[in-house]
Amino acid sequence: MKIAVYPGSFDPITYGHLDVVARAAAVFDRVIVGVLVNPHKATPALPTEERVGVIREAIDECCADDAARIDVELFDGLTVDFCRRRKATFVVRGLRAISDFESELQMAHTNRKLAPEVDTVFFMTALEHSYVSSSLVKEIATFGGDVSQMVPPAAARRLIGRGRGL
Ligand code: PNS
């Protein structure tokens, strides 16, 4: 049974993230989307508990056939410790552009040093979503811009509900 953790802030989840989730589900038996509880991250668009609900809804909508094999959970502390708790031997991350590569390389090597039994697998984010980032979505939503092409409806609704969308 190959179990992968896809860790991130997902604040909010974007179509780029969802693309990675769907493709990871095609490779691994179980995918656990791990939402990092990070009290130090400045001004979240959505509280972490709400993010879990949004991601669950988005996955049920986009990937119904695989949804039963995809979990969404909060975690804190180290990603590799979360992997060990959940018996995952892979970390999944998306790469949008060269600019992502340096920090992802550093993170993958560090995680491997901390937990040699956990390997990192990268998916190249689909070209049509590779310009999207959660931080830009947050900025656009803060100023009332339309983010409906960047995030799934479950996230767009919450951002609008908080006065941060459309
Ligand atoms: O979506 P993000 O914010 O780019 O995700 C970053 C994340 C959550 C994967 C990374 O910050 C992380 O793994 N944090 C948990 C703490 C940890 O394990 N730090 C060492 C990683 S090298």
Side-chain angles (χ1 to χ4, degrees), residues 86-103:
R86 299 298 273 106
K87 309 247 177 303
T89 49
F90 296 94
V91 168
V92 162
R93 294 284 289 169
L95 281 178
R96 292 166 299 188
I98 293 278
S99 50
D100 284 339
F101 183 77
E102 205 166 309
S103 58

Side-chain angles (χ1 to χ4, degrees), residues 7-10 36 41 75 77-80 93 104 107 110-111:
S9 307
F10 304 109
L36 179 70
K41 198 126 183 179
F75 79 102
L78 292 177
T79 289
V80 291
R93 294 284 289 169
E104 293 297 334
M107 221 167 7
T110 306
N111 283 335

Side-chain angles (χ1 to χ4, degrees), residues 135-147:
S135 47
L136 274 186
V137 165
K138 250 185 293 194
E139 184 172 307
I140 294 164
T142 301
F143 294 112
D146 179 2
V147 293

